Amino acid sequence: MPSAPTHRPASAATDATAVSPDPALSWSAPLSPGGAPGATRPLVSFGEPEGYDGDARPRPLGRRGASQAAAAAACLVLGLGLISGAVTGSWLVGDPGEEGARSAFSTAGSLWHSVPVDQLFPRTVQGKGAGPGGADRTWTRIAVAPDSGCKDAFDPLLRKALAPVGCGRLLRATYTDATESHVTTVGLLFTTADAPGMTALANRFRKERLDRRADLMPLPYAAKDTPAADFGAKQRASWTVSVLTEAPVVVYAVSGWADGRTVDDPQPAEDAMASGATTAPAQAGLGHEAQGLADRVERDLRKNVRSATERPS
């Protein structure tokens, strides 16, 4: 093989202008004397990018041939057909989520006779952060009412308001706080309504604010020989009523003092818990007692529904 050349051609070694870029075309070149843009600045333009067709002929990118357009149209038609088929299939077989919701709703309605009372109304309920200012609370169950219907269980106006959803069973329990100075009755009204019926009642309570009317307060359950023995209608201080829509259940709670004092200005729990509230129920934290206990009993109810729904048949 011929040996490699030992020197470069003279034209490449001596003609520096042939390999050196023009300084005027550099990005760092001065724009013009004084730094102002001048005529020596290079003009850079970006043309439409080019590609190549099947015969290696240059063509602008972004343009499709007739065959590509036809293929895209075919894919669109096929995709729409698949989506339409999927929607139709879901209508035919039903939504599994909706089926599960119906199953949970039905299961919830039968919990009153299939779940032990200690699961619906635990002997001790811990209320972490449930008191005024985020203080912890502990409630102890002191009485459980026999399961019954709703006759004489509500004042006439509240019974009338609840009538559209019917009364399947009413469960009640009364608790006292750790100091035994407050008493609270919490109730679970299992209705005979379907999901639309519960939704209609919930909407009415919300729109008409029925849960805040003092003439629609629930009645307490007073048990003899307990701190709640004197807990009657005139001792009601604060209350809450919650109409569930995913279960045929109305959850409520009503609180008062254990010493039997009467209350002239009962206050819904939401108002009694508000910052700056100065009424006697608010200052005593009785709004927190009613709302905190109702929330935890409702939470346990949901756990029992979920457990019963997921249990293998």
Side-chain angles (χ1 to χ4, degrees):
M1 298 179 59
S3 59
T6 58
H7 61 279
R8 296 181 180 179
S11 60
T14 60
D15 190 4
T17 59
V19 295
S20 299
D22 185 352
L25 301 180
S26 172
W27 289 109
S28 59
L31 301 179
S32 66
T40 58
R41 184 180 184 124
L43 178 62
V44 181
S45 64
F46 296 91
E48 185 177 10
E50 288 189 338
Y52 296 91
D53 60 15
D55 297 325
R57 292 179 301 217
R59 62 171 176 80
L61 294 178
R63 297 181 183 175
R64 295 179 178 174
S67 60
Q68 289 177 302
C75 290
L76 177 61
V77 173
L78 179 59
L80 291 175
L82 292 174
I83 294 173
S84 176
V87 172
T88 303
S90 66
W91 290 342
L92 293 176
V93 303
D95 186 349
E98 293 179 359
E99 184 65 29
R102 286 193 295 268
S103 176
F105 188 93
S106 177
T107 299
S110 61
L111 285 182
W112 66 269
H113 63 72
S114 60
V115 174
V117 66
D118 286 348
Q119 288 183 229
L120 294 175
F121 299 124
R123 294 179 181 272
T124 302
V125 177
Q126 299 296 333
K128 185 174 179 61
D136 294 341
R137 282 287 186 267
T138 299
W139 297 284
T140 302
R141 194 184 71 198
I142 56 177
V144 176
D147 59 306
S148 64
C150 295
K151 184 179 180 180
D152 301 326
F154 300 110
D155 285 336
L157 284 179
L158 181 56
R159 183 168 62 249
K160 182 178 179 180
L162 297 174
V165 295
C167 176
R169 214 67 176 179
L170 177 63
L171 307 182
R172 296 171 291 169
T174 298
Y175 289 79
T176 186
D177 67 327
T179 65
E180 295 190 356
S181 57
H182 302 145
V183 285
T184 303
T185 292
V186 59
L188 295 174
L189 168 61
F190 290 83
T191 75
T192 58
D194 56 10
M198 295 301 296
T199 299
L201 183 65
N203 290 337
R204 185 190 174 200
F205 262 72
R206 183 182 66 256
K207 292 178 180 178
E208 301 180 22
R209 301 171 70 85
L210 300 184
D211 57 336
R212 304 169 69 86
R213 284 177 45 174
D215 56 351
L216 296 177
M217 267 193 300
L219 286 170
Y221 174 66
K224 295 181 179 180
D225 302 322
T226 70
D230 297 323
F231 189 23
K234 295 182 178 180
Q235 284 71 37
R236 294 175 292 182
S238 191
W239 77 97
T240 180
V241 178
S242 177
V243 181
L244 306 187
T245 57
E246 66 275 25
V249 180
V250 177
V251 182
Y252 69 85
V254 56
S255 62
W257 281 276
D259 59 10
R261 75 182 73 176
T262 59
V263 181
D264 296 328
D265 55 346
Q267 192 173 28
E270 183 178 349
D271 292 346
M273 295 170 62
S275 176
T278 58
T279 63
Q283 293 293 313
L286 288 170
H288 290 80
E289 296 289 314
Q291 190 67 62
L293 191 54
D295 285 347
R296 281 147 185 84
V297 168
E298 180 181 330
R299 190 180 306 168
D300 287 341
L301 174 71
R302 295 177 187 277
K303 290 180 180 178
N304 283 306
V305 172
R306 185 164 55 251
S307 176
T309 304
E310 295 174 352
R311 187 179 304 140
S313 57

